[in-house]
Amino acid sequence: MNDSGNRLLNGWQLSKMHTFEVAARHESFALAAEELSLSPSAVSHRINLLEEELGITLFTRSHRKVALTHEGRRVYWTLKSSLDALNQEILDIKNQALSGTLTVYSRPSIAQSWLVPKLGDFSRRYPSVALTILTGNERVDMQEKGVDLAIYFDDTPPSHQTHRFLMDEAILPVCSPAYAEHHALVEAPDNLRHCTLLHDRQAWRHDTGTDEWLSWSQHFAVTLPLSSGISFDRSDLALIAAANHAGVAMGRKRLVQKQLERGELIAPFGDKTLKCNQHYYVSTPTGRQWPKIDAFIAWLQEQAR
């Protein structure tokens, strides 16, 4: 091997990668030669050249047998994944892209409380689109993670991506009917000072962990308890705790609506609802305007209405 360990792949090596893909798939130079209409020695020569140029041993050789090295297997699976993605992209282009996979990233609370319960409708409309839903609290590197679109809740969409407005939001305190009765909360927000507050520490970017409650209490001039309460990194967990009589959560109206309708939670202070400066929006990598992405965003906006 030469000292080419840091040399990057170029067009010359790409031509040899086809030979490597076939040889790796069969783990046989003889079978690769048969598929490629070459001699086994020609296949072996191409693989030797590729290994020398890359500075990586791709195969171990023994009498009448070859096997992928650990490094060779890594290269093969990366190559296979890239070829699969390229083939799917070509099919999407030919089929106007209303088929294939679509990877969606969302904050966990949005996914559980709003998005996931509605997905059956999208699948019925677009049965050829296979959805993958990923969740997390951080802004994701869409290119690195293979994400086609992301749903966020914030006031400052990232400038390096394309984003579209989805829906606005408002917050209101919610708790179980039993908790409201025990603490005499109905139409009596001053009694909150005797309650346990449930916080979403990841409500939005730069949240201190209590921002939702502080914003609401300042707007309606309500005194909050001095204790810090219980904090979660997802608003849906705060809502589950509230439904199980652990305290009062600050609910996002869009996400808590079903629980209010079912009576699992109540809004003890009626119309004391505060519109958020933050809103839900959809981000996509700049320039990625595929029909299947546009179809999903149009469907999201329809659900939001």
Side-chain angles (χ1 to χ4, degrees), residues 192-197 199 210 224-230:
L192 273 174
R193 63 181 179 271
H194 305 302
C195 297
T196 299
L197 300 188
H199 301 280
T210 59
L224 297 180
L226 297 177
S227 65
S228 57
I230 306 174

Side-chain angles (χ1 to χ4, degrees), residues 79-123:
L79 177 61
K80 184 178 183 300
S81 297
S82 299
L83 287 173
D84 289 345
L86 181 59
N87 284 328
Q88 184 61 59
E89 200 67 31
I90 292 169
L91 283 174
D92 285 352
I93 292 169
K94 289 181 177 179
N95 297 323
Q96 292 302 300
L98 285 175
S99 65
T101 60
L102 186 67
T103 301
V104 180
Y105 178 84
S106 171
R107 295 285 292 271
S109 297
I110 302 170
Q112 184 189 43
S113 301
W114 188 82
L115 175 62
V116 172
K118 302 175 185 294
L119 288 179
D121 179 72
F122 181 83
S123 293

Side-chain angles (χ1 to χ4, degrees), residues 173 192 212-220 250 269 272 274:
L192 273 174
E212 286 183 311
W213 271 109
L214 287 175
S215 299
W216 182 88
S217 64
Q218 290 169 3
H219 183 82
F220 291 107
M250 187 57 68
F269 313 132
K272 281 186 166 48
L274 177 64

Side-chain angles (χ1 to χ4, degrees), residues 139 153-159 163 205-206 277-279 281:
R139 285 186 175 173
F153 177 66
D154 213 335
D155 55 357
T156 52
S159 59
H163 60 271
R205 213 162 49 100
H206 311 308
N277 293 325
Q278 295 74 18
H279 61 271
Y281 60 89

Side-chain angles (χ1 to χ4, degrees), residues 135-149:
T135 63
N137 280 322
E138 305 302 324
R139 285 186 175 173
V140 68
D141 185 327
M142 301 178 76
Q143 299 284 2
E144 179 184 341
K145 300 296 184 182
V147 171
D148 298 308
L149 61 91

Side-chain angles (χ1 to χ4, degrees), residues 129-204:
V129 177
L131 288 172
T132 297
I133 309 297
L134 307 177
T135 63
N137 280 322
E138 305 302 324
R139 285 186 175 173
V140 68
D141 185 327
M142 301 178 76
Q143 299 284 2
E144 179 184 341
K145 300 296 184 182
V147 171
D148 298 308
L149 61 91
I151 305 171
Y152 293 113
F153 177 66
D154 213 335
D155 55 357
T156 52
S159 59
H160 60 284
Q161 295 171 353
T162 300
H163 60 271
R164 304 187 211 182
F165 174 83
L166 182 56
M167 55 188 178
D168 55 17
E169 185 58 284
I171 54 176
L172 74 168
V174 296
C175 63
S176 69
Y179 194 90
E181 181 179 359
H182 180 74
H183 292 274
L185 289 178
V186 176
E187 301 301 338
D190 287 340
N191 287 342
L192 273 174
R193 63 181 179 271
H194 305 302
C195 297
T196 299
L197 300 188
L198 308 174
H199 301 280
D200 173 14
R201 297 191 63 84
Q202 299 282 345
W204 49 72

Side-chain angles (χ1 to χ4, degrees), residues 18 24 124 205 222 293:
H18 178 220
R124 284 187 290 271
R205 213 162 49 100
V222 174
I293 292 178

